Amino acid sequence: MTRQITIEPLTIESFQPYGDVIQLEGNKNVVLANQGTAKRVNYVAKLENLREATGPALQNARPNMCIFSSAPRPTVGGRFEVKLLERHPYSSQVFMPIFQHGVRNSNPDEPCYLVIVAENGSDDKPDLNTIRAFAASSTQGINYKANSWHSPMVTIGQRVNFVVLVWENGVALQDCDEAPISPVIVDLSPSFRGLSKL
């Protein structure tokens, strides 16, 4: 039987088991900067490169800051099907949306991408009993903890560009471990009702 889940709001507290939500509003570490003309949040995400602490069996990795342009994923009847999860065993991974002029999502608080995560099971594979989906807006970035299972990026109804930061060394299973899963259906309504052709 196919598992079906509903979307939750993305909050700093709800996402803690999987990493950090990068946002200004609701953050407790806001300080003033630039002679009071700016707000600054210090240490908004825990950046990790676990290869250094693991030992000489792993090749060194460099931080890779890249731009990731994600096309909208196909949906059927207001639902999105997840068939694969991935993790970065030795690195955290930041996704921060870049402001884009002229996108259909004119309200910055409306969701523009989907964050799907699961805990690690006793078999070292995703535990589908823990799979969750969060709706993220263009004012929210995410930082996946190292070794946190998540779906490849899912945008709904529009292309979204991100700045991404991850440590990589070019060794496939050290950089990214993928796990096919039994299909999980994410109900997109009502979060993405205005953005996707449901």
Side-chain angles (χ1 to χ4, degrees), residues 81-160:
E81 187 175 61
V82 186
K83 297 180 179 178
L84 178 132
L85 295 178
E86 65 182 32
R87 63 181 172 181
H88 310 282
Y90 302 103
S91 175
S92 55
Q93 187 182 37
V94 171
F95 280 86
M96 192 71 209
I98 303 171
F99 174 77
Q100 298 157 92
H101 180 69
V103 295
R104 282 185 283 163
N105 185 7
S106 59
N107 181 349
D109 295 323
E110 287 182 359
C112 66
Y113 66 104
L114 194 58
V115 181
I116 302 165
V117 289
E119 296 175 18
N120 197 36
S122 57
D123 59 354
D124 202 31
K125 297 292 181 190
D127 179 357
L128 296 188
N129 291 317
T130 68
I131 194 164
R132 298 170 75 182
F134 298 94
S137 75
S138 61
T139 63
Q140 294 177 300
I142 52 166
N143 176 49
Y144 295 113
K145 289 180 181 176
N147 211 36
S148 182
W149 289 107
H150 59 276
S151 170
M153 183 50 67
V154 179
T155 62
I156 304 294
Q158 64 183 334
R159 178 176 292 277
V160 180

Side-chain angles (χ1 to χ4, degrees), residues 6-7 15 19 22 30 39 41 49 53-54 56 61 70 73 79 98 112 129 143 154-155 170 180 186 188:
T6 57
I7 297 174
F15 197 67
I22 304 169
V30 176
K39 294 179 181 177
V41 181
N49 175 19
T54 306
S70 184
R73 295 293 189 104
R79 305 185 319 164
I98 303 171
C112 66
N129 291 317
N143 176 49
V154 179
T155 62
V186 180
L188 299 176

Side-chain angles (χ1 to χ4, degrees), residues 23-25 27-31 39-44:
Q23 65 182 44
L24 181 63
E25 299 308 319
N27 203 298
K28 297 174 184 169
N29 299 324
V30 176
V31 296
K39 294 179 181 177
R40 173 175 166 165
V41 181
N42 292 312
Y43 306 106
V44 71

